[in-house]
Amino acid sequence: MSTLSRLEKTIAARSKASPDSSYVASLNAKGTGKMAQKVGEEATEAVIAAVSGSNDELISESADLIFHLMVLLQAKGVALDEVLAELDRREGLSGLDEKASRKDT
């Protein structure tokens, strides 16, 4: 089992815990808006680390970003396998071609 698969299972289990005993449960209790805000904060911190920090800082902030994104995905009922399937679908496509193929919304 991969690291991300194990993390997904841990997040699912902890989401059912008491918010007083689990950070994941406390984020769930605050709702998807707060979870999305945390993803944004962590993304910003990763960008700052990439531009002006060390590689160690970038690694740490990237781990935080992935974790918070996975918490949000779990709360929205989106499985990691669905995201991975989308990445598989895009494999071998030019980024420009893939972007052009998306429907305008």
Side-chain angles (χ1 to χ4, degrees):
M1 181 181 290
S2 74
T3 301
L4 293 178
S5 295
R6 287 192 311 272
L7 179 58
E8 182 178 45
K9 288 184 184 299
T10 299
I11 289 169
R14 291 186 182 167
S15 69
K16 298 174 181 114
S18 164
D20 295 331
S21 66
S22 167
Y23 178 65
V24 171
S26 72
L27 285 173
N28 275 284
K30 294 175 184 173
T32 56
K34 181 62 175 179
M35 288 180 227
Q37 178 185 347
K38 287 298 296 179
V39 171
E41 290 171 8
E42 298 301 343
T44 299
E45 291 171 6
V47 168
I48 292 167
V51 172
S52 61
S54 68
N55 283 354
D56 287 343
E57 290 171 308
L58 177 57
I59 291 165
S60 178
E61 295 302 340
S62 296
D64 289 348
L65 174 57
I66 290 167
F67 169 80
H68 284 89
L69 177 58
M70 289 184 67
V71 170
L72 179 60
L73 290 170
Q74 188 276 329
K76 295 295 291 181
V78 176
L80 180 60
D81 283 345
E82 294 175 82
V83 177
L84 296 176
E86 177 61 12
L87 289 172
D88 287 343
R89 184 190 69 77
R90 294 179 185 188
E91 189 174 354
L93 289 177
S94 154
L96 296 175
D97 290 342
E98 191 284 324
K99 194 168 188 172
S101 72
R102 296 183 199 173
K103 295 179 183 174
D104 291 326
T105 54

